[in-house]
């Protein structure tokens, strides 16, 4: 079967990056993506994500949208021992690529990939994955799902006062209903981080929304 862009990216990393070195894996994913554009959060937005994570100092993290594991590697390498990083990926093929990428980077003990629908997995996080509440949520799957999944996190009691949501792509491709919701619901304190789309000159932004509890 013809390989995919995601498989080609993994092969390139396995052949060139240093096993057990997360930065090396990130650098080679970025290098490959300069030639074959891909939706990794990338090396321009990545440092903004890292700054928010470091300021939050989370113990329990959730990511919506694993893709190839780039942001899971970027974030999990910052987390203190004993921290858990759960990441939901709807596409089985991407989840398999991501697992190999995360293993190669040496992050397999911190990162747990949950393959399936966020709408099905989120309500099971407490019962199946011993989650009490989430300290940090990186939202980076499909803009149409940002709002329904945010409301589901609230309804499932997974957010507490101070829980930090950080959403990618709120300008490009855009998540207008999510911005409207977090900025007007009265439940969040929001901060916008104007930046650029990965591997591109197009404008994009991240939105940070801190749950008021
Ligand atoms: O679907 C997505 N999920 C998560 N993140 C994305 C992203 O960061 C993108 F840039 C894009 C994107 C795709 C095509 C474009 F022309 C521009 C951005 C898509 C996603
Ligand atoms: Mg994105």
């Amino acid at each position: 079967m013809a390989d995919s862009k995601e498989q080609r990216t993994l092969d390139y990393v396995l052949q060139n990056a240093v096993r057990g070195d997360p930065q090396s894996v990130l650098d080679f994913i970025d290098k490959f993506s300069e030639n074959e554009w891909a939706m990794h959060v990338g090396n321009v937005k990545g440092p903004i994500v890292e700054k928010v994570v470091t300021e939050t100092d989370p113990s329990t993290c959730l990511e919506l949208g694993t893709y190839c594991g780039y942001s899971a590697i970027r974030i999990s390498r910052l987390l203190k021992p004993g921290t858990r990083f759960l990441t939901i990926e709807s596409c089985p093929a991407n989840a398999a690529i991501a697992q190999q990428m995360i293993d190669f980077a040496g992050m397999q003990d911190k990162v747990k990939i949950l393959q399936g629908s966020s709408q099905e997995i989120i309500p099971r996080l407490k019962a199946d994955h011993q989650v009490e509440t989430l300290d940090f949520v990186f939202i980076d799957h499909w803009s149409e799902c940002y709002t329904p999944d945010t409301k589901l996190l609230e309804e499932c009691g997974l957010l507490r006062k101070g829980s930090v949501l950080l959403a990618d792509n709120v300008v490009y491709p855009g998540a207008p209903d999510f911005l409207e919701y977090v900025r007007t619901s009265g439940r969040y304190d929001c901060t916008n981080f104007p930046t650029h789309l990965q591997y591109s000159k197009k404008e994009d932004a991240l939105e940070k929304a801190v749950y008021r509890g």
Side-chain angles (χ1 to χ4, degrees):
M1 183 173 76
D3 68 2
S4 66
K5 172 172 67 179
E6 292 74 24
Q7 184 64 54
R8 288 194 296 277
T9 307
L10 174 64
D11 293 343
Y12 183 74
V13 165
L14 298 179
Q15 285 157 18
N16 294 282
V18 175
R19 179 182 292 277
D21 179 347
Q23 188 59 56
S24 170
V25 171
L26 297 172
D27 289 345
F28 280 100
I29 293 174
D30 288 330
K31 190 172 165 70
F32 186 86
S33 304
E34 293 296 345
N35 297 320
E36 279 199 74
W37 191 93
M39 58 184 179
H40 317 293
V41 75
N43 52 10
V44 170
K45 290 190 278 188
I48 301 170
V49 174
E50 291 181 18
K51 183 171 182 295
V52 173
V53 169
T54 303
E55 289 167 354
T56 307
D57 188 25
S59 296
T60 307
C61 300
L62 175 67
E63 174 179 65
L64 304 179
T66 316
Y67 190 42
C68 296
Y70 181 96
S71 46
I73 292 166
R74 243 192 201 276
I75 295 168
S76 64
R77 68 185 180 150
L78 302 174
L79 302 180
K80 56 197 178 227
T83 303
R84 289 196 302 154
F85 187 93
L86 303 175
T87 178
I88 299 174
E89 175 54 50
S90 61
C91 170
N94 287 347
I97 297 276
Q99 188 64 67
Q100 297 172 76
M101 203 76 89
I102 288 159
D103 291 350
F104 190 82
M107 292 291 113
Q108 67 285 346
D109 294 340
K110 282 189 179 294
V111 178
K112 185 174 185 183
I113 300 174
L114 308 176
Q115 194 279 312
S117 152
S118 51
Q119 282 282 316
E120 290 170 10
I121 294 173
I122 287 171
R124 303 294 312 160
L125 288 176
K126 286 179 182 270
D128 295 355
H129 303 286
Q130 298 72 48
V131 173
E132 287 180 29
T133 53
L134 297 164
D135 304 315
F136 177 81
V137 184
F138 185 47
I139 305 175
D140 191 26
H141 50 346
W142 302 115
S143 53
E144 301 79 12
C145 300
Y146 284 21
T147 306
D149 284 354
T150 296
K151 290 179 177 175
L152 189 55
L153 289 169
E154 293 172 16
E155 290 155 11
C156 294
L158 285 161
L159 302 183
R160 45 89 177 160
K161 181 174 173 55
S163 291
V164 173
L165 309 185
L166 184 65
D168 189 23
N169 309 116
V170 298
V171 167
Y172 198 94
D177 61 320
F178 172 77
L179 290 181
E180 168 78 16
Y181 177 67
V182 292
R183 291 176 178 177
T184 65
S185 65
R187 296 178 177 170
Y188 297 90
D189 293 308
C190 298
T191 310
N192 187 261
F193 297 91
T195 177
H196 288 90
L197 188 70
Q198 55 268 44
Y199 322 117
S200 162
K201 291 184 171 38
K202 288 184 187 306
E203 294 185 354
D204 192 7
L206 296 159
E207 185 85 355
K208 176 184 175 185
V210 181
Y211 193 58
R212 289 177 174 167

